[in-house]
Amino acid sequence: MPSAVPRPPGRAPGRAAAAVRGSLRSAATALRAWPAARWLAAAGGALLTAAVVGFPTAVIPSPLFGREVPVQWWNYPALVATAVLGGIVIATYVRTPYTGAEARFDGGNGERREGRDGDDDGDDRGTSRLGAVGGVLSFFAVGCPVCNKVVLVLLGTSGAMTVWAPVQPVIAVASVLFMGVAAVRRLSGEVACPVRPTVAAGTASTAAPAGARGSTEPAEPAVGVSAPGN
């Protein structure tokens, strides 16, 4: 019988894709379980994000701001995607009563566990930074290339048009990706809280029976059971 071809060490084909699919499914589950208050917060957050990014860059016309270079066609979908994802991320920070999706993962007791939305652990701070970076990148992506004073100082007017302007669509894609990752992380964290390694290790060590493999102390014989040979 021919042996299977060995896989190169250190590679796990499909594992990353499966993790991404799992995160997307968890995010979709959280969205389906959102109450009306969350959707209202998401709508308000989307409008706020669109205003913060769209008005100063003149993608949304207003008498207060203008631009020397006309708005490009891709500025509009980039702004819409940024606003929608920004609204979702903002809504995840709104505390609401426990939803049905969360209750299924916590036994239905209706109590929030540590690590839910609003927690200040390292992972949550990293996710918040991703969303903030995505919003800033979106502002620079859809803005007028010759209206950015930093770009003008570094590249000049000709450099802003020949170097900075062609890079702006790439920056727009990066901003949407960052905000999308932030939104998926926030949503998937509502229904699937990761197990803390320290807690898991402590539980395993206290639950290990005496005399088990790796234990440094021998198991004591049970009371009332005589040793062999007596």
Side-chain angles (χ1 to χ4, degrees):
M1 180 177 180
S3 59
V5 178
R7 294 178 177 176
R11 293 186 179 182
R15 188 170 299 178
V20 171
R21 288 194 297 269
S23 297
L24 292 176
R25 283 194 297 267
S26 298
T29 301
L31 282 176
R32 286 194 297 269
W34 268 16
R38 277 281 179 88
W39 288 111
L40 290 176
L47 292 176
L48 177 62
T49 304
V52 169
V53 177
F55 282 118
T57 58
V59 176
I60 301 177
S62 72
L64 300 177
F65 301 96
R67 54 189 294 159
E68 298 181 19
V69 177
V71 178
Q72 305 298 310
W73 68 267
W74 56 267
N75 292 161
Y76 297 108
L79 179 61
V80 171
T82 300
V84 171
L85 293 173
I88 291 175
V89 172
I90 292 173
T92 59
Y93 290 93
V94 176
R95 289 188 175 275
T96 59
Y98 229 21
T99 60
E102 292 172 316
R104 287 199 299 272
F105 285 89
D106 279 351
N109 57 8
E111 297 179 357
R112 291 189 178 275
R113 294 191 309 182
E114 184 181 2
R116 294 285 175 183
D117 52 336
D119 191 13
D120 291 330
D121 58 5
D123 184 70
D124 186 72
R125 288 193 296 270
T127 302
S128 301
R129 284 194 291 267
L130 276 178
V133 170
V136 172
L137 289 179
S138 176
F139 181 86
F140 287 109
V142 301
C144 173
V146 298
C147 299
N148 191 323
K149 293 181 174 57
V150 176
V151 175
L152 288 178
V153 170
L154 295 177
L155 302 176
T157 304
S158 61
M161 293 301 300
T162 59
V163 177
W164 176 251
V167 176
Q168 285 183 295
V170 180
I171 298 176
V173 173
S175 69
V176 172
L177 288 177
F178 282 164
M179 297 197 72
V181 170
V184 170
R185 283 186 177 181
R186 290 290 302 173
L187 290 169
S188 60
E190 292 183 359
V191 296
C193 230
V195 178
R196 299 182 183 272
T198 55
V199 176
T203 305
S205 61
T206 55
R213 181 178 297 177
S215 177
T216 57
E217 297 182 0
E220 297 181 359
V223 178
V225 180
S226 58
N230 292 345

